[in-house]
Coordinates of all heavy atoms in Angstrom, one line a residue:
M29 N 19.4 -71.9 -27.3 CA 20.0 -70.6 -27.1 C 20.1 -69.9 -28.5 O 20.6 -70.4 -29.5 CB 21.4 -70.8 -26.6 CG 22.1 -69.5 -26.3 SD 23.5 -69.9 -25.2 CE 23.8 -68.4 -24.5
T30 N 19.5 -68.6 -28.5 CA 19.5 -67.9 -29.8 C 20.7 -67.2 -30.1 O 20.9 -66.8 -31.3 CB 18.3 -66.9 -29.7 OG1 18.6 -65.9 -28.7 CG2 17.0 -67.6 -29.4
G31 N 21.5 -66.9 -29.1 CA 22.7 -66.1 -29.4 C 22.5 -64.6 -29.4 O 23.4 -63.8 -29.5
D32 N 21.2 -64.2 -29.3 CA 20.9 -62.8 -29.2 C 20.8 -62.4 -27.8 O 19.8 -62.5 -27.1 CB 19.5 -62.6 -29.9 CG 19.1 -61.2 -29.9 OD1 19.9 -60.3 -29.5 OD2 17.9 -60.9 -30.3
H33 N 21.9 -61.8 -27.3 CA 22.0 -61.4 -25.9 C 21.0 -60.3 -25.5 O 20.6 -60.1 -24.4 CB 23.4 -61.0 -25.5 CG 23.8 -59.7 -26.1 ND1 24.3 -59.7 -27.4 CD2 23.9 -58.5 -25.6 CE1 24.6 -58.4 -27.6 NE2 24.4 -57.7 -26.6
L34 N 20.5 -59.5 -26.5 CA 19.6 -58.4 -26.2 C 18.2 -59.0 -25.8 O 17.5 -58.3 -25.2 CB 19.5 -57.5 -27.4 CG 20.8 -56.8 -27.8 CD1 20.6 -55.9 -29.0 CD2 21.3 -55.9 -26.6
S35 N 17.8 -60.2 -26.3 CA 16.5 -60.7 -26.0 C 16.5 -61.5 -24.7 O 15.5 -61.9 -24.2 CB 16.0 -61.5 -27.1 OG 16.8 -62.7 -27.3
D36 N 17.7 -61.8 -24.1 CA 17.8 -62.5 -22.9 C 17.3 -61.7 -21.7 O 17.6 -60.5 -21.7 CB 19.3 -63.0 -22.6 CG 19.7 -64.0 -23.6 OD1 18.9 -64.7 -24.3 OD2 21.0 -64.1 -23.8
P37 N 16.6 -62.3 -20.7 CA 16.2 -61.5 -19.6 C 17.4 -61.0 -18.8 O 18.5 -61.6 -18.8 CB 15.4 -62.5 -18.7 CG 15.5 -63.8 -19.4 CD 16.2 -63.6 -20.7
D38 N 17.3 -59.8 -18.2 CA 18.3 -59.2 -17.4 C 18.7 -60.2 -16.2 O 17.8 -60.5 -15.4 CB 17.9 -57.9 -16.9 CG 18.9 -57.1 -16.2 OD1 20.0 -57.7 -15.8 OD2 18.7 -55.9 -15.9
P39 N 19.9 -60.6 -16.1 CA 20.3 -61.5 -15.0 C 20.3 -60.9 -13.7 O 20.3 -61.5 -12.6 CB 21.6 -62.1 -15.4 CG 22.2 -61.0 -16.2 CD 21.0 -60.4 -17.0
C40 N 20.4 -59.5 -13.6 CA 20.4 -58.8 -12.4 C 19.4 -57.6 -12.4 O 19.8 -56.4 -12.4 CB 21.8 -58.2 -12.2 SG 23.1 -59.5 -12.0
P41 N 18.1 -57.9 -12.5 CA 17.2 -56.8 -12.6 C 17.2 -56.0 -11.3 O 17.4 -56.6 -10.2 CB 15.9 -57.5 -12.8 CG 16.1 -58.8 -12.2 CD 17.5 -59.2 -12.5
D42 N 16.9 -54.7 -11.4 CA 16.9 -53.9 -10.2 C 15.5 -54.1 -9.5 O 14.5 -53.8 -10.0 CB 17.0 -52.4 -10.6 CG 17.1 -51.5 -9.4 OD1 16.8 -51.9 -8.3 OD2 17.5 -50.3 -9.6
P43 N 15.5 -54.7 -8.3 CA 14.3 -55.0 -7.6 C 13.7 -53.8 -6.8 O 12.7 -54.0 -6.1 CB 14.7 -56.1 -6.7 CG 16.1 -55.8 -6.3 CD 16.7 -55.2 -7.6
K44 N 14.4 -52.7 -6.8 CA 14.0 -51.6 -5.9 C 13.0 -50.6 -6.6 O 12.8 -50.7 -7.8 CB 15.3 -50.8 -5.5 CG 16.3 -51.6 -4.8 CD 15.8 -52.1 -3.5 CE 16.9 -52.8 -2.8 NZ 16.6 -53.4 -1.6
W45 N 12.4 -49.8 -5.8 CA 11.5 -48.8 -6.2 C 12.0 -47.4 -6.1 O 12.8 -47.1 -5.2 CB 10.2 -48.9 -5.4 CG 9.5 -50.2 -5.7 CD1 9.7 -51.4 -5.1 CD2 8.4 -50.4 -6.6 NE1 8.8 -52.4 -5.7 CE2 8.0 -51.7 -6.6 CE3 7.7 -49.5 -7.5 CZ2 7.0 -52.3 -7.3 CZ3 6.7 -50.1 -8.3 CH2 6.4 -51.4 -8.2
Y46 N 11.6 -46.5 -7.0 CA 12.1 -45.1 -6.9 C 11.0 -44.1 -7.1 O 9.9 -44.5 -7.7 CB 13.1 -44.9 -8.1 CG 14.3 -45.8 -8.0 CD1 14.3 -47.1 -8.5 CD2 15.5 -45.3 -7.4 CE1 15.4 -47.9 -8.4 CE2 16.6 -46.1 -7.3 CZ 16.6 -47.4 -7.8 OH 17.7 -48.2 -7.7
Y47 N 11.2 -42.9 -6.7 CA 10.2 -41.8 -7.0 C 10.9 -40.9 -7.9 O 12.0 -40.4 -7.7 CB 9.9 -41.1 -5.6 CG 8.8 -40.0 -5.8 CD1 7.5 -40.3 -6.0 CD2 9.2 -38.7 -6.0 CE1 6.5 -39.3 -6.2 CE2 8.3 -37.7 -6.2 CZ 7.0 -38.0 -6.3 OH 6.0 -37.0 -6.5
N48 N 10.2 -40.6 -9.0 CA 10.7 -39.7 -10.0 C 10.2 -38.3 -9.7 O 9.0 -38.0 -9.7 CB 10.2 -40.1 -11.4 CG 10.8 -39.3 -12.5 OD1 10.8 -38.0 -12.5 ND2 11.4 -39.9 -13.5
T49 N 11.1 -37.4 -9.4 CA 10.7 -36.0 -8.9 C 10.2 -35.2 -10.1 O 9.5 -34.2 -9.9 CB 11.8 -35.3 -8.2 OG1 13.0 -35.2 -9.1 CG2 12.2 -36.0 -7.0
R50 N 10.6 -35.5 -11.3 CA 10.2 -34.7 -12.5 C 8.8 -35.1 -12.9 O 7.9 -34.3 -13.1 CB 11.2 -35.0 -13.7 CG 10.9 -34.1 -14.9 CD 11.9 -34.3 -16.0 NE 12.1 -35.7 -16.3 CZ 11.3 -36.4 -17.1 NH1 10.2 -35.8 -17.6 NH2 11.6 -37.6 -17.4
T51 N 8.5 -36.4 -13.0 CA 7.2 -36.9 -13.4 C 6.2 -37.1 -12.2 O 5.0 -37.3 -12.4 CB 7.3 -38.2 -14.1 OG1 7.8 -39.2 -13.2 CG2 8.2 -38.1 -15.4
R52 N 6.8 -37.1 -11.0 CA 6.0 -37.4 -9.8 C 5.3 -38.8 -9.8 O 4.2 -39.0 -9.3 CB 4.9 -36.3 -9.5 CG 5.6 -34.9 -9.4 CD 4.5 -33.9 -9.2 NE 5.1 -32.6 -9.1 CZ 5.4 -31.9 -8.0 NH1 5.1 -32.4 -6.9 NH2 5.9 -30.7 -8.1
Q53 N 6.0 -39.7 -10.4 CA 5.6 -41.1 -10.5 C 6.5 -42.1 -9.8 O 7.7 -41.8 -9.7 CB 5.5 -41.5 -12.0 CG 4.5 -40.7 -12.8 CD 3.1 -40.9 -12.4 OE1 2.6 -42.0 -12.2 NE2 2.3 -39.8 -12.2
V54 N 6.0 -43.2 -9.3 CA 6.8 -44.2 -8.8 C 7.2 -45.1 -9.9 O 6.5 -45.4 -10.8 CB 6.0 -45.0 -7.7 CG1 6.7 -46.2 -7.2 CG2 5.6 -44.1 -6.5
E55 N 8.5 -45.6 -9.8 CA 9.1 -46.4 -10.9 C 9.7 -47.7 -10.2 O 10.3 -47.6 -9.2 CB 10.1 -45.7 -11.6 CG 9.7 -44.4 -12.3 CD 10.8 -43.6 -13.0 OE1 12.0 -43.9 -12.7 OE2 10.4 -42.7 -13.7
H56 N 9.5 -48.8 -10.9 CA 10.2 -50.1 -10.5 C 11.4 -50.3 -11.3 O 11.4 -50.5 -12.5 CB 9.2 -51.2 -10.6 CG 9.7 -52.5 -10.0 ND1 9.7 -53.7 -10.6 CD2 10.2 -52.7 -8.7 CE1 10.2 -54.6 -9.7 NE2 10.5 -54.0 -8.6
G57 N 12.6 -50.1 -10.6 CA 13.9 -50.2 -11.4 C 14.3 -48.8 -11.8 O 13.6 -47.8 -11.6
T58 N 15.5 -48.8 -12.3 CA 16.1 -47.5 -12.7 C 15.7 -47.2 -14.2 O 16.5 -47.3 -15.1 CB 17.7 -47.6 -12.6 OG1 18.1 -48.7 -13.3 CG2 18.1 -47.7 -11.2
L59 N 14.5 -46.6 -14.3 CA 14.0 -46.3 -15.6 C 14.3 -44.9 -16.1 O 14.4 -44.6 -17.3 CB 12.4 -46.5 -15.6 CG 11.9 -47.8 -15.2 CD1 10.4 -47.8 -15.1 CD2 12.4 -48.9 -16.1
S60 N 14.6 -44.0 -15.1 CA 14.8 -42.6 -15.5 C 16.2 -42.2 -15.0 O 16.9 -42.9 -14.4 CB 13.7 -41.7 -14.9 OG 13.8 -41.9 -13.4
R61 N 16.5 -41.0 -15.4 CA 17.8 -40.4 -15.0 C 18.0 -40.3 -13.5 O 17.0 -40.0 -12.8 CB 18.0 -39.0 -15.6 CG 17.9 -38.9 -17.1 CD 18.0 -37.5 -17.7 NE 17.4 -36.5 -16.8 CZ 17.9 -35.2 -16.7 NH1 18.9 -34.9 -17.5 NH2 17.4 -34.4 -15.9
S62 N 19.2 -40.6 -13.1 CA 19.4 -40.6 -11.6 C 19.2 -39.2 -11.0 O 18.7 -39.2 -9.8 CB 20.9 -41.1 -11.3 OG 21.8 -40.2 -11.9
V63 N 19.4 -38.2 -11.7 CA 19.1 -36.8 -11.2 C 17.6 -36.6 -10.9 O 17.3 -35.8 -10.0 CB 19.7 -35.7 -12.1 CG1 18.9 -35.6 -13.4 CG2 19.8 -34.4 -11.4
D64 N 16.8 -37.4 -11.5 CA 15.3 -37.2 -11.3 C 14.7 -38.2 -10.3 O 13.5 -38.2 -10.0 CB 14.6 -37.4 -12.6 CG 14.9 -36.3 -13.6 OD1 15.2 -35.2 -13.2 OD2 14.9 -36.6 -14.8
R65 N 15.6 -39.1 -9.7 CA 15.1 -40.1 -8.8 C 15.4 -39.9 -7.4 O 16.5 -39.5 -7.0 CB 15.7 -41.5 -9.2 CG 15.2 -42.0 -10.5 CD 15.6 -43.5 -10.7 NE 17.0 -43.8 -10.3 CZ 18.0 -43.9 -11.1 NH1 17.8 -43.8 -12.4 NH2 19.2 -44.2 -10.7
L66 N 14.5 -40.3 -6.5 CA 14.8 -40.5 -5.1 C 14.7 -42.0 -4.8 O 13.8 -42.7 -5.3 CB 13.7 -39.8 -4.2 CG 13.7 -38.2 -4.3 CD1 12.6 -37.7 -3.5 CD2 15.0 -37.6 -3.9
G67 N 15.5 -42.5 -4.0 CA 15.5 -43.9 -3.7 C 16.9 -44.5 -3.8 O 17.9 -43.8 -4.0
P68 N 17.0 -45.8 -3.7 CA 15.9 -46.8 -3.8 C 15.2 -47.0 -2.5 O 15.7 -46.7 -1.4 CB 16.7 -48.0 -4.2 CG 18.0 -47.9 -3.6 CD 18.3 -46.4 -3.6
Y69 N 14.0 -47.5 -2.7 CA 13.1 -47.9 -1.6 C 12.7 -49.4 -1.7 O 12.7 -49.9 -2.8 CB 11.8 -47.0 -1.6 CG 12.1 -45.6 -1.4 CD1 12.2 -44.7 -2.5 CD2 12.3 -45.1 -0.2 CE1 12.5 -43.4 -2.3 CE2 12.6 -43.7 0.0 CZ 12.7 -42.9 -1.1 OH 13.0 -41.6 -0.9
P70 N 12.4 -50.0 -0.6 CA 12.2 -51.5 -0.7 C 10.9 -51.9 -1.3 O 10.8 -53.0 -1.8 CB 12.2 -51.9 0.8 CG 11.8 -50.7 1.5 CD 12.4 -49.5 0.7
D71 N 9.9 -51.0 -1.4 CA 8.6 -51.3 -2.0 C 7.9 -50.1 -2.5 O 8.3 -49.0 -2.3 CB 7.8 -52.0 -0.9 CG 7.6 -51.2 0.4 OD1 7.2 -50.1 0.3 OD2 7.9 -51.8 1.4
E72 N 6.9 -50.3 -3.3 CA 6.1 -49.3 -3.9 C 5.5 -48.3 -2.9 O 5.5 -47.1 -3.1 CB 5.1 -49.9 -4.8 CG 4.3 -48.8 -5.6 CD 3.2 -49.4 -6.5 OE1 3.0 -50.7 -6.5 OE2 2.6 -48.7 -7.3
T73 N 5.0 -48.8 -1.8 CA 4.3 -48.0 -0.8 C 5.3 -47.0 -0.2 O 5.0 -45.8 -0.1 CB 3.7 -48.9 0.3 OG1 2.8 -49.7 -0.3 CG2 3.0 -48.0 1.3
T74 N 6.5 -47.4 0.1 CA 7.5 -46.6 0.7 C 8.0 -45.5 -0.4 O 8.2 -44.4 -0.1 CB 8.7 -47.4 1.2 OG1 8.2 -48.4 2.1 CG2 9.7 -46.5 1.9
A75 N 8.1 -46.0 -1.6 CA 8.5 -45.0 -2.7 C 7.5 -43.9 -2.9 O 7.8 -42.8 -3.1 CB 8.7 -45.8 -4.0
R76 N 6.2 -44.2 -2.7 CA 5.2 -43.2 -2.8 C 5.3 -42.1 -1.7 O 4.8 -41.0 -1.8 CB 3.8 -43.9 -2.7 CG 3.5 -44.6 -4.0 CD 2.0 -45.0 -4.1 NE 1.8 -45.9 -5.2 CZ 1.8 -45.4 -6.5 NH1 1.9 -44.2 -6.7 NH2 1.6 -46.3 -7.5
R77 N 6.0 -42.5 -0.6 CA 6.2 -41.6 0.5 C 7.5 -40.9 0.4 O 8.0 -40.2 1.4 CB 6.1 -42.3 1.9 CG 4.8 -42.9 2.2 CD 4.7 -43.6 3.6 NE 5.3 -42.8 4.6 CZ 6.4 -43.1 5.3 NH1 7.0 -44.3 5.1 NH2 6.9 -42.3 6.2
A78 N 8.2 -40.9 -0.7 CA 9.5 -40.4 -0.8 C 9.7 -38.9 -0.4 O 10.6 -38.6 0.3 CB 10.0 -40.6 -2.3
L79 N 8.7 -38.1 -0.9 CA 8.8 -36.7 -0.5 C 8.7 -36.4 1.0 O 9.4 -35.6 1.6 CB 7.8 -35.9 -1.3 CG 8.1 -35.8 -2.8 CD1 7.0 -35.0 -3.5 CD2 9.5 -35.3 -3.2
E80 N 7.8 -37.2 1.6 CA 7.6 -37.1 3.0 C 8.8 -37.6 3.8 O 9.2 -36.9 4.7 CB 6.4 -38.0 3.4 CG 6.1 -38.0 4.9 CD 5.0 -39.0 5.2 OE1 4.2 -39.4 4.4 OE2 4.9 -39.4 6.4
I81 N 9.4 -38.7 3.3 CA 10.6 -39.2 4.0 C 11.7 -38.2 3.8 O 12.5 -37.9 4.8 CB 11.0 -40.6 3.3 CG1 9.9 -41.6 3.7 CG2 12.4 -41.0 3.7 CD1 10.0 -42.9 3.0
A82 N 11.9 -37.6 2.6 CA 13.0 -36.6 2.4 C 12.8 -35.4 3.3 O 13.7 -34.9 3.9 CB 13.0 -36.2 1.0
Q83 N 11.5 -34.9 3.5 CA 11.2 -33.8 4.4 C 11.6 -34.1 5.8 O 12.2 -33.3 6.5 CB 9.8 -33.4 4.3 CG 9.5 -32.2 5.1 CD 8.0 -31.8 5.0 OE1 7.2 -32.4 4.3 NE2 7.6 -30.7 5.7
Q84 N 11.2 -35.3 6.3 CA 11.6 -35.7 7.6 C 13.1 -35.8 7.9 O 13.6 -35.4 8.9 CB 10.9 -37.1 7.9 CG 9.4 -37.1 8.0 CD 8.8 -38.5 8.1 OE1 9.5 -39.5 7.9 NE2 7.5 -38.5 8.4
R85 N 13.8 -36.3 6.9 CA 15.3 -36.4 7.0 C 15.9 -35.0 7.0 O 16.9 -34.8 7.7 CB 15.8 -37.3 5.9 CG 15.5 -38.7 6.0 CD 16.0 -39.6 4.9 NE 15.6 -41.0 5.0 CZ 15.7 -41.9 4.1 NH1 16.2 -41.5 2.9 NH2 15.4 -43.1 4.3
T86 N 15.4 -34.1 6.2 CA 15.9 -32.7 6.2 C 15.6 -32.1 7.5 O 16.5 -31.4 8.0 CB 15.2 -32.0 5.0 OG1 15.6 -32.6 3.8 CG2 15.7 -30.5 5.0
E87 N 14.5 -32.2 8.1 CA 14.2 -31.6 9.4 C 15.1 -32.2 10.4 O 15.5 -31.4 11.3 CB 12.7 -31.8 9.7 CG 11.7 -31.0 8.8 CD 10.3 -31.4 9.0 OE1 10.0 -32.3 9.7 OE2 9.4 -30.7 8.3
A88 N 15.3 -33.5 10.4 CA 16.2 -34.1 11.4 C 17.6 -33.6 11.3 O 18.3 -33.3 12.3 CB 16.1 -35.6 11.3
A89 N 18.1 -33.4 10.0 CA 19.4 -32.9 9.8 C 19.5 -31.4 10.3 O 20.5 -31.0 10.8 CB 19.8 -33.1 8.3
D90 N 18.5 -30.7 10.0 CA 18.5 -29.3 10.4 C 18.5 -29.2 12.0 O 19.2 -28.3 12.5 CB 17.2 -28.5 9.9 CG 17.3 -28.3 8.4 OD1 18.4 -28.4 7.8 OD2 16.2 -27.9 7.8
R91 N 17.8 -30.0 12.7 CA 17.8 -30.0 14.1 C 19.2 -30.4 14.6 O 19.7 -29.8 15.5 CB 16.8 -31.1 14.7 CG 15.4 -30.5 14.8 CD 14.5 -31.5 15.6 NE 14.5 -32.8 15.1 CZ 13.7 -33.2 14.2 NH1 12.9 -32.4 13.6 NH2 13.7 -34.5 13.8
A92 N 19.8 -31.4 14.0 CA 21.2 -31.8 14.4 C 22.2 -30.7 14.2 O 23.0 -30.5 15.0 CB 21.6 -33.1 13.6
D93 N 22.0 -30.0 13.1 CA 22.9 -28.8 12.8 C 22.7 -27.7 13.9 O 23.7 -27.2 14.4 CB 22.6 -28.2 11.4 CG 23.2 -29.0 10.3 OD1 24.0 -29.9 10.6 OD2 22.8 -28.8 9.1
R94 N 21.5 -27.4 14.2 CA 21.2 -26.4 15.3 C 21.8 -26.8 16.6 O 22.5 -26.0 17.3 CB 19.7 -26.1 15.4 CG 19.2 -25.3 14.3 CD 17.7 -24.8 14.6 NE 16.8 -25.9 14.8 CZ 16.1 -26.5 13.9 NH1 16.3 -26.2 12.6 NH2 15.3 -27.5 14.2
E95 N 21.7 -28.1 17.0 CA 22.2 -28.6 18.2 C 23.8 -28.5 18.2 O 24.4 -28.2 19.2 CB 21.8 -30.0 18.5 CG 20.3 -30.1 18.8 CD 19.7 -31.5 18.8 OE1 20.6 -32.5 18.7 OE2 18.5 -31.7 19.0
W96 N 24.3 -28.9 17.1 CA 25.8 -28.8 17.0 C 26.3 -27.4 17.1 O 27.3 -27.1 17.8 CB 26.2 -29.4 15.6 CG 27.7 -29.3 15.3 CD1 28.3 -28.3 14.6 CD2 28.7 -30.2 15.7 NE1 29.7 -28.6 14.6 CE2 29.9 -29.7 15.3 CE3 28.7 -31.4 16.5 CZ2 31.1 -30.4 15.5 CZ3 29.9 -32.0 16.7 CH2 31.1 -31.5 16.2
N97 N 25.6 -26.5 16.5 CA 26.1 -25.1 16.5 C 25.8 -24.4 17.8 O 26.4 -23.4 18.1 CB 25.3 -24.3 15.4 CG 25.8 -24.7 14.0 OD1 27.0 -25.1 13.8 ND2 25.0 -24.7 13.0
D98 N 24.9 -25.0 18.7 CA 24.6 -24.4 20.0 C 25.7 -24.8 21.0 O 25.7 -24.2 22.1 CB 23.2 -24.8 20.5 CG 22.1 -24.0 19.7 OD1 22.4 -23.0 19.2 OD2 21.0 -24.5 19.8
D99 N 26.5 -25.8 20.7 CA 27.5 -26.2 21.7 C 28.6 -25.2 21.9 O 29.1 -24.4 21.3 CB 28.2 -27.5 21.2 CG 27.3 -28.7 21.4 OD1 26.3 -28.6 22.1 OD2 27.6 -29.8 20.8

């Protein structure tokens, strides 16, 4: 044991994937500012679909709002 805690591996690494809206890149772990990230996603493939997923969720929420307001 070296006593240098900075060189020890992270005991709780972030296993999730994120999509960075500023750079338009997929990231493994929390590498960038939270304001620039969508996620977490369970895998890289899903993170690559982040904008599509967000659009689908927005459309579903808009439909639910319209249905609620029509009552």
Side-chain angles (χ1 to χ4, degrees):
M29 182 165 200
T30 65
D32 181 7
H33 70 281
L34 296 178
S35 64
D36 293 339
D38 186 348
C40 299
D42 187 342
K44 303 294 184 184
W45 291 85
Y46 299 86
Y47 181 81
N48 185 311
T49 58
R50 187 177 51 78
T51 65
R52 300 179 186 261
Q53 299 293 314
V54 171
E55 301 174 349
H56 191 228
T58 52
L59 303 177
S60 59
R61 300 178 327 149
S62 61
V63 71
D64 294 328
R65 288 192 319 259
L66 295 177
Y69 297 97
D71 53 55
E72 182 178 6
T73 302
T74 306
R76 289 193 185 285
R77 295 184 47 241
L79 294 179
E80 177 187 342
I81 292 167
Q83 181 180 1
Q84 291 170 349
R85 290 177 179 168
T86 298
E87 290 170 357
D90 289 347
R91 275 192 305 278
D93 284 346
R94 283 191 301 275
E95 291 171 7
W96 176 265
N97 290 328
D98 285 342
D99 284 346

